[in-house]
């Protein structure tokens, strides 16, 4: 389900809770809403609001951390491609074919993964990309170092290739969100309880209803940001492929 659809459902639930509270106020007996009852209800709502604030802060921090981590991985992946190309360039002219194949691997990866305008992680595991990577690996394995320097450079290239393979596996495994759905469900449930309490003691006039509407929109907006940040490779706040395209422009130079 898209973040926009999730936030819309949250808004309807939360604002509906406020309207439910106003409806309950009209039908509950008067002694259910006297001063003593209000004190207990307000204390309970305060407790739930505190827990909701803590969980909301936790989810935002977790989603932001996931977004930043994957953004760093894309930058690191780009840097590894450039570094691998530089190592091969220092090795000697016999790596010309391998460097050309490296450029094909990166161009094909960008084209298939981001080519449609949205990130498609499954394409990282496509047969074409794996075949291109295998051809590049064969060219590196065919290198015959003539001295210690070339031997060291070949070992560096193999290490960087291992890092690239590990980063690719990470990107494949991180396609899903890191935030458990039960967390969101419990948080939304708490928000509904809070807004029911707001509506229970709020006068039914346009000003109050407008304020509750804005508050419900704000709560839904917070959930929207959480879900968007938790899916950094898709949506409105997605990680850009600019570092990879910049790396592609530098390969072979």
């Amino acid at each position: 389900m898209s973040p926009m659809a999730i936030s819309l459902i949250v808004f309807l639930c939360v604002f509906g809770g406020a309207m439910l509270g106003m409806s309950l106020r009209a039908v509950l007996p008067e002694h259910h809403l006297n001063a003593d009852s209000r004190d207990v209800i307000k204390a309970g709502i305060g407790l739930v609001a505190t827990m909701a604030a803590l969980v909301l802060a936790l989810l935002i921090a977790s989603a932001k951390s996931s977004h930043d981590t994957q953004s760093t991985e894309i930058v690191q992946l780009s840097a590894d491609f450039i570094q691998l190309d530089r190592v091969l360039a220092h090795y000697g002219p016999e790596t010309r074919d391998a460097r050309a194949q490296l450029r094909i691997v990166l161009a094909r990866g960008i084209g298939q993964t981001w080519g449609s305008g949205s990130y498609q992680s499954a394409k990282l595991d496509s047969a074409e990309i794996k075949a291109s990577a295998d051809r590049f690996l064969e060219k590196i394995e065919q290198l015959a170092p003539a001295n210690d320097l070339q031997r060291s450079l070949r070992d560096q290239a193999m290490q960087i290739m291992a890092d690239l393979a590990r980063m690719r596996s990470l990107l494949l495994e991180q396609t899903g969100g890191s935030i458990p759905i039960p967390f969101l469900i419990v948080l939304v449930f708490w928000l509904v309880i809070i807004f029911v309490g707001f509506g229970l003691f709020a006068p039914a006039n346009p000003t109050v209803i407008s304020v509750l509407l804005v508050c419900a929109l704000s709560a839904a907006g917070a959930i929207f940001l959480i879900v968007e940040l938790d899916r950094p490779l898709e949506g409105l706040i997605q990680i850009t492929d600019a570092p990879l395209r910049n790396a592609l422009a530098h390969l072979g130079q």
Side-chain angles (χ1 to χ4, degrees):
M1 189 178 295
S2 69
M4 188 65 70
I6 293 174
S7 61
L8 178 59
I9 292 173
V10 171
F11 168 74
L12 294 176
C13 291
V14 172
F15 188 65
M19 296 298 100
L20 175 62
M22 288 185 175
S23 301
L24 289 175
R25 180 182 182 182
V27 299
L28 286 175
E30 186 61 32
H31 65 277
H32 284 196
L33 299 176
N34 58 24
D36 292 337
S37 299
R38 289 190 178 198
D39 290 341
V40 174
I41 294 173
K42 287 181 179 179
I45 293 175
L47 174 62
V48 175
T50 301
M51 294 189 299
L54 290 174
V55 172
L56 188 61
L58 174 64
L59 291 181
I60 290 177
S62 176
K64 184 65 168 61
S65 176
S66 175
H67 187 280
D68 291 344
T69 297
Q70 294 192 45
S71 178
T72 301
E73 289 172 357
I74 293 295
V75 174
Q76 183 62 53
L77 189 69
S78 306
D80 285 345
F81 270 105
I82 295 176
Q83 182 64 22
L84 180 56
D85 182 70
R86 291 294 86 206
V87 168
L88 294 176
H90 286 301
Y91 185 96
E94 53 265 55
T95 62
R96 186 179 296 107
D97 291 343
R99 295 177 67 195
Q101 185 62 37
L102 179 65
R103 199 175 196 283
I104 292 174
V105 171
L106 180 55
R108 186 162 292 169
I110 295 174
Q112 290 194 5
T113 308
W114 272 280
S116 61
S118 61
Y119 180 78
Q120 298 178 1
S121 61
K123 294 299 180 84
L124 283 173
D125 205 31
S126 68
E128 291 184 19
I129 291 181
K130 288 195 288 188
S132 298
D134 289 342
R135 284 193 291 271
F136 173 74
L137 179 60
E138 289 174 1
K139 292 183 181 299
I140 297 299
E141 291 175 340
Q142 290 170 1
L143 293 176
N147 50 55
D148 289 342
L149 176 59
Q150 288 189 338
R151 191 172 296 107
S152 173
L153 290 172
R154 183 178 182 276
D155 291 341
Q156 289 183 44
M158 296 296 290
Q159 181 59 50
I160 297 173
M161 288 169 59
D163 293 339
L164 287 172
R166 179 179 58 83
M167 202 68 67
R168 169 182 167 275
S169 298
L170 280 175
L171 290 173
L172 278 171
E173 294 298 326
Q174 291 173 341
T175 53
S178 62
I179 295 177
I181 295 300
F183 267 49
L184 286 178
I185 294 175
V186 171
L187 177 59
V188 173
F189 175 68
W190 287 346
L191 290 173
V192 171
I193 292 176
I194 294 169
F195 274 75
V196 169
F198 289 163
L200 198 59
F201 301 113
N205 61 60
T207 300
V208 171
I209 293 176
S210 298
V211 170
L212 291 174
L213 177 65
V214 172
C215 292
L217 283 172
S218 300
I223 300 298
F224 174 79
L225 288 177
I226 289 172
V227 179
E228 274 285 332
L229 287 172
D230 193 45
R231 302 174 182 180
L233 295 171
E234 57 184 83
L236 297 177
I237 318 179
Q238 65 176 298
I239 297 172
T240 177
D241 61 341
L244 290 173
R245 295 190 180 277
N246 182 61
L248 181 61
H250 284 82
L251 295 188
Q253 294 183 3

